[in-house]
C-alpha cells in the first residue's frame, strides 16, 4: 500500500515554526531559519520555477522527498488564514502556480469548493478529519505515496493516530526557544521509530525514520 | 583553554528524563530508554567495572566522551535527592567506586563537606552557582576539558549563560511525550551551533555541535 510520508524541517529544540505566525510571517518569528538550508538548492528552486542553485548532500534528500509522491495532505494552518473562508478566500502562499504539481488535501473545519491552480496543483478542502483526508489523498495518488506537509498540529494528529509511515526530519542547528513543536501532545501515543538514514549536509542534518505502531 | 563539553542522551522528542523522577526511578518513568544504546557497550561496561560488551559505531563516541577529560560538573538533581542533606546524606547513585574516576563538582543550594570515593572520584558541593562550579572544575582539571553531565536544569543554565563549548547529543528514536526537556527555558539565549560530527549507530544517532555565543 502507498505510504504516508512526512518531510519536515525542525530546529534542534524541536520547533517547526516560530511564535506569532501570521499571513505576513507564515513560519512565525525566526521561522525563516527552518528552510535556509533548502532555499539555495537547485532541487528546491526548480519546482519553484527558479533557475540555478546548488547541488550538495541535501540534493538527494530533496529529490527523494518528491519521489513516487502522488498527493499531499496538509493542515489548514499551513495552507494559511484562519476561521471561515469569507467572500475573498485565501488561496495559499504559493501564487498561481504552486510548487506541488499534484492534488493537495487540506484538513480544515471550514467547507469550501475545490480550487484548481496552474501546473497540476489542486486544493481540496476536507472537513471530516485526518482519516478522511488521507483516504481521499490515497485515492488521488493512484498507488503512489502521500506526502504530509504539516503544520505541527496536523502532523501530531497523524502521528498520534498511527497513520504516518515514514518521517524525514531536516534538523537545523538553531535553538529558537519558542514556537510550535512537532513532538507535542503525544502523551498516549504508541509510536515505534527506526532510524533508517542519516545524512550530514551543509547547515542541516537529515534523519529518516520508519514508524511502527507499538502494541 | 579547556572546554566545557556536554554529553547527553536525548529522546527524539527532546526529553532527557521521563516524568516523576525519584530515588527509585532516577531517570523518571520511561527514562531507562535513554541509555539502552550504551549499556551493552564494552566502552560503557569497562569504566563501570564490568567485563565484556559490544564494540560498535558508538564505541568511538563513548571513548571520545572520556578523552582529555579532567573534571565533571553536574546538577543536584542528577546527583540525586532533594533539599537539605540531613544526617545520613545521600551519596549518589553509584556506590563506593563511582564510574567518574575524577573530581566531580555538584551545583546545589545546600552546603556540604566534600566526599572522597574509591577510584579517584571526589564529590565537591558548590553553592555559589554555575560559574563558581565551572571555575573550581577548571582548576581541578589541570588544563583538560570539563564534562557537563546534566540534568536538564543545570545544562540549560550553562547553555543559556554561553559557558558550554561543545555538545554531544545521543539521539534515541523514542517519543516519550513527557518529562524534562533539554532545550527548555532558553527564550533569550543567543546560541550559535555548528554540527561538527554525525554518526549513525545501532539504536542511536550521535550529533556533535560546536557552540558559539551570538552577538
Amino acid at each position: 500500500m502507498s505510504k504516508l510520508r512526512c518531510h519536515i524541517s525542525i530546529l534542534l529544540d524541536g520547533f517547526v515554526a516560530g511564535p506569532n505566525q501570521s499571513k505576513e510571517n507564515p513560519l512565525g518569528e525566526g521561522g525563516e531559519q527552518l528552510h535556509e538550508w533548502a532555499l539555495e538548492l537547485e532541487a528546491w528552486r526548480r519546482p519553484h520555477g527558479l533557475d540555478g542553485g546548488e547541488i550538495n548532500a541535501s540534493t538527494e534528500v530533496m529529490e527523494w522527498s518528491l519521489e513516487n509522491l502522488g498527493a499531499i495532505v496538509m493542515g489548514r494552518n499551513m495552507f494559511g488564514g484562519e476561521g471561515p473562508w469569507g467572500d475573498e478566500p485565501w488561496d495559499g502562499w504559493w501564487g498561481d502556480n504552486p510548487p506541488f504539481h499534484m492534488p493537495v488535501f487540506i484538513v480544515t473545519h471550514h467547507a469550501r469548493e475545490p480550487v484548481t491552480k496552474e501546473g497540476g496543483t489542486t486544493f481540496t478542502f476536507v472537513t471530516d478529519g485526518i482519516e478522511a483526508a488521507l483516504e481521499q489523498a490515497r485515492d488521488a495518488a493512484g498507488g503512489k505515496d502521500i506526502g504530509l506537509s504539516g503544520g505541527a498540529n496536523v502532523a501530531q494528529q497523524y502521528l498520534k493516530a498511527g497513520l504516518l509511515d515514514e518521517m524525514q526530519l531536516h534538523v537545523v542547528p538553531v535553538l529558537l526557544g519558542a514556537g510550535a513543536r512537532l513532538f507535542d501532545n503525544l502523551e498516549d501515543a504508541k509510536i515505534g521509530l527506526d532510524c533508517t538514514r542519516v545524512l550530514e549536509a551543509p547547515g542541516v542534518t537529515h534523519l529518516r525514520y520508519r514508524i511502527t505502531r507499538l502494541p
Side-chain angles (χ1 to χ4, degrees), chain A:
Chain A
M1 193 163 74
S2 67
K3 288 188 289 191
L4 179 63
R5 295 156 32 185
C6 179
H7 310 91
I8 194 160
S9 286
I10 183 169
L11 302 177
L12 187 60
D13 53 1
F15 295 103
V16 291
N20 303 316
Q21 294 177 65
S22 65
K23 279 191 186 174
E24 293 69 38
N25 212 352
L27 292 168
E29 294 163 11
E32 70 285 353
Q33 298 171 92
L34 282 156
H35 298 129
E36 277 169 7
W37 67 272
L39 300 185
E40 295 307 311
L41 289 177
E42 190 271 341
W44 185 89
R45 296 174 60 85
R46 188 169 18 83
H48 287 78
L50 300 167
D51 288 335
E54 281 177 36
I55 293 173
N56 67 26
S58 289
T59 298
E60 171 196 332
V61 172
M62 185 72 85
E63 288 177 343
W64 177 85
S65 79
L66 295 171
E67 218 176 271
N68 195 39
L69 213 63
I72 287 170
V73 291
M74 69 170 66
R76 165 66 189 274
N77 192 52
M78 175 157 174
F79 185 74
E82 52 181 346
W85 297 102
D87 292 335
E88 291 184 31
W90 172 256
D91 239 13
W93 314 95
W94 306 279
D96 292 332
N97 189 356
F100 307 110
H101 311 298
M102 64 182 75
V104 178
F105 295 85
I106 295 138
V107 180
T108 169
H109 294 291
H110 301 281
R112 175 173 169 184
E113 290 299 306
V115 175
T116 300
K117 293 295 209 174
E118 295 169 20
T121 298
T122 57
F123 294 129
T124 302
F125 302 87
V126 182
T127 55
D128 44 355
I130 59 167
E131 298 201 27
L134 178 57
E135 201 172 309
Q136 289 190 44
R138 200 155 261 153
D139 287 345
K144 289 186 174 181
D145 289 345
I146 297 112
L148 171 60
S149 279
N153 180 281
V154 78
Q156 288 162 15
Q157 290 186 51
Y158 278 107
L159 193 53
K160 196 163 180 175
L163 295 171
L164 193 59
D165 299 296
E166 202 161 43
M167 187 162 57
Q168 171 71 66
L169 301 180
H170 314 294
V171 183
V172 175
V174 167
L175 301 178
L176 193 58
R181 274 190 161 121
L182 177 59
F183 299 119
D184 251 336
N185 309 311
L186 296 173
E187 287 78 2
D188 303 318
K190 302 279 187 199
I191 300 157
L193 296 168
D194 271 317
C195 187
T196 55
R197 182 88 165 92
V198 172
L199 188 67
E200 192 175 2
V204 64
T205 306
H206 305 284
L207 305 181
R208 192 177 304 166
Y209 294 92
R210 188 175 51 229
I211 305 175
T212 55
R213 191 113 175 106
L214 297 179

